Amino acid sequence: MKTIRRSSSIIYVAAIVAIMVAFPAWLPAQTAAVKSSDASSGSAMQWSVQVDRVNPGDLEVAYAFQVAIYENLLKELNKTKQFKQVFRDGDRKANEVPNLLVLKTTVETYTPGSETRRAVTTVSGATKLTVRSQLLTREGKIVLERTVNGDVRFFGSNLRATHNLARNIAKAIKQSRWDVG
């Protein structure tokens, strides 16, 4: 009985070691392949972006929502690897970057929603955001303009809508063709 347990333990440890040895060898190869395909994608990689603070427009948007949209945008734009660098609003280093775009986001509609109502019923309580996102050159030329939605309908906190919105904005920018020239 002890021999069987010992053999099982040895096999289990050997399998884990084999996976740990094989898996890291696979990751650098895949990372190198991804990097080379990104580098061949052309001019998009040479641009950097500065994310301006979220403009609430004429709406009463809670400051926490504005900050959450902004922070989530920074994170999601970094994830796309679309830009060489992603700068915060007011970052002095951005002035030194030759190819800089500015992302402006203005809230057009906002429905606060209710986490409690979503938990009780799946029909009501959704938090919804619609924004106009503009990607501009330093000179103010609009390179890309999109209206993007973000919401949380069923489960999750109200701030989850800001994450979904930021992800949708980053996705729209990545999937769009934009010409700066």
Side-chain angles (χ1 to χ4, degrees), residues 143-160:
V143 176
L144 177 71
E145 184 169 19
R146 294 283 186 270
T147 300
V148 184
N149 300 312
D151 58 26
V152 58
R153 294 187 181 272
F154 300 113
F155 300 107
S157 73
N158 287 336
L159 288 178
R160 180 75 179 164

Side-chain angles (χ1 to χ4, degrees), residues 29-44:
Q30 185 179 17
T31 304
V34 169
K35 283 182 184 173
S36 66
S37 70
D38 283 350
S40 66
S41 68
S43 64

Side-chain angles (χ1 to χ4, degrees), residues 44-109:
M45 289 301 292
Q46 65 185 352
W47 289 92
S48 295
V49 67
Q50 179 177 341
V51 181
D52 276 2
R53 293 183 187 174
V54 175
N55 180 353
D58 297 333
L59 303 173
E60 300 261 344
V61 180
Y63 186 69
F65 267 75
Q66 294 174 44
V67 172
I69 294 168
Y70 180 75
E71 292 297 329
N72 282 314
L73 268 173
L74 292 168
K75 185 166 67 171
E76 292 298 321
L77 287 171
N78 271 315
K79 278 186 192 176
T80 66
K81 306 223 185 291
Q82 176 89 15
F83 299 101
K84 187 174 181 180
Q85 291 178 293
V86 177
F87 294 101
R88 292 178 171 274
D89 190 16
D91 191 336
R92 293 180 186 164
K93 295 177 191 172
N95 294 333
E96 301 166 7
V97 176
N99 297 327
L100 183 73
L101 297 172
V102 179
L103 178 65
K104 294 187 179 283
T105 307
T106 306
V107 180
E108 292 185 337
T109 62

Side-chain angles (χ1 to χ4, degrees), residues 107-156:
V107 180
E108 292 185 337
T109 62
Y110 169 63
T111 307
S114 167
E115 292 178 46
T116 307
R117 285 183 28 206
R118 277 196 306 276
V120 173
T121 174
T122 59
V123 183
S124 65
T127 300
K128 300 176 188 176
L129 286 161
T130 302
V131 300
R132 186 186 59 206
S133 288
Q134 295 177 315
L135 203 55
L136 301 107
T137 62
R138 280 183 208 220
E139 296 77 32
K141 177 187 172 195
I142 297 175
V143 176
L144 177 71
E145 184 169 19
R146 294 283 186 270
T147 300
V148 184
N149 300 312
D151 58 26
V152 58
R153 294 187 181 272
F154 300 113
F155 300 107

